[in-house]
Amino acid sequence: MRKFLLSIIDFFYPPFSRWLPLHTFRYLVSGGTTAVSGILSYYIAYNWILEQKSIQVDFPFLPKLITAHSAALIISTFISFIIGFTLNKYLVFTKSNLKGRIQMFRYAAVLTINFGLNFAMLKYMVEGLHFYPSISQAFITLTLSLCSYFLQKHFTFRVKKHP
């Protein structure tokens, strides 16, 4: 499956080869796939699952009412985590010699930071600036994707240098 997916990705690489190394192109495709799945899952969760309605919860550590755009963000984050980690580990950062559980922990740490930034930016854009939630989420996703690349490359999936 890995070879098949890489052959499809690599098929589209030649026009970009003058500007991007193959590794970066693969990351962009992987990250783009993750971003699109996150945006789509957010849209589906917000509009169809939650029907743009806030939800009532009864957990002691959460507010009693969670807005629809916040709940959709939580749902899409879980979906993006699974897709993003899998694509990055098996298609992009395959040379990393860190153990899989370390990679997953680091990926989750980066995702948690991104989630916090995403949540704050979404709250501000939707509730403060009154932008439409799905458009706001798409803009935030693109912005945070740039930061994620460097964190994934140099932290989550880094290659240990042996002395």
Side-chain angles (χ1 to χ4, degrees), residues 67-107:
T67 60
H69 58 271
S70 297
L73 177 62
I74 293 167
I75 293 167
S76 70
T77 299
F78 282 115
I79 293 168
S80 294
F81 175 83
I82 293 165
I83 293 170
F85 180 76
T86 303
L87 291 176
N88 281 309
K89 179 172 178 50
Y90 295 107
L91 295 182
V92 180
F93 298 107
T94 57
K95 293 190 184 341
S96 176
N97 50 11
L98 296 174
K99 292 182 179 181
R101 61 184 164 84
I102 302 291
Q103 292 173 343
M104 184 176 274
F105 176 79
R106 289 181 177 193
Y107 191 86

Side-chain angles (χ1 to χ4, degrees), residues 7-161:
S7 68
I8 292 172
I9 294 169
D10 294 352
F11 175 79
F12 293 100
Y13 175 65
F16 301 95
S17 63
R18 293 181 7 180
W19 301 289
L20 296 170
L22 179 59
H23 184 265
T24 304
F25 181 75
R26 286 177 177 174
Y27 179 80
L28 288 174
V29 171
S30 170
T33 302
T34 304
V36 167
S37 67
I39 291 167
L40 285 175
S41 62
Y42 179 89
Y43 180 84
I44 290 167
Y46 180 73
N47 290 295
W48 295 344
I49 297 171
L50 300 168
E51 297 176 338
Q52 300 181 6
K53 296 176 188 159
S54 299
I55 57 174
Q56 192 77 26
V57 294
D58 195 23
F59 294 116
F61 57 90
L62 291 174
K64 295 291 181 197
L65 189 67
I66 298 177
T67 60
H69 58 271
S70 297
L73 177 62
I74 293 167
I75 293 167
S76 70
T77 299
F78 282 115
I79 293 168
S80 294
F81 175 83
I82 293 165
I83 293 170
F85 180 76
T86 303
L87 291 176
N88 281 309
K89 179 172 178 50
Y90 295 107
L91 295 182
V92 180
F93 298 107
T94 57
K95 293 190 184 341
S96 176
N97 50 11
L98 296 174
K99 292 182 179 181
R101 61 184 164 84
I102 302 291
Q103 292 173 343
M104 184 176 274
F105 176 79
R106 289 181 177 193
Y107 191 86
V110 170
L111 182 80
T112 301
I113 292 167
N114 274 352
F115 180 81
L117 291 170
N118 197 331
F119 183 79
M121 292 168 73
L122 187 63
K123 278 277 202 200
Y124 177 69
M125 290 179 77
V126 173
E127 295 175 16
L129 300 177
H130 305 290
F131 289 160
Y132 187 72
S134 293
I135 293 171
S136 299
Q137 183 58 38
F139 171 77
I140 293 165
T141 298
L142 292 174
T143 304
L144 292 178
S145 295
L146 294 173
C147 300
S148 290
Y149 173 73
F150 294 103
L151 288 170
Q152 301 306 352
K153 183 177 181 179
H154 299 291
F155 176 66
T156 304
F157 298 103
R158 73 181 170 97
V159 178
K160 282 187 186 176
K161 294 179 182 164

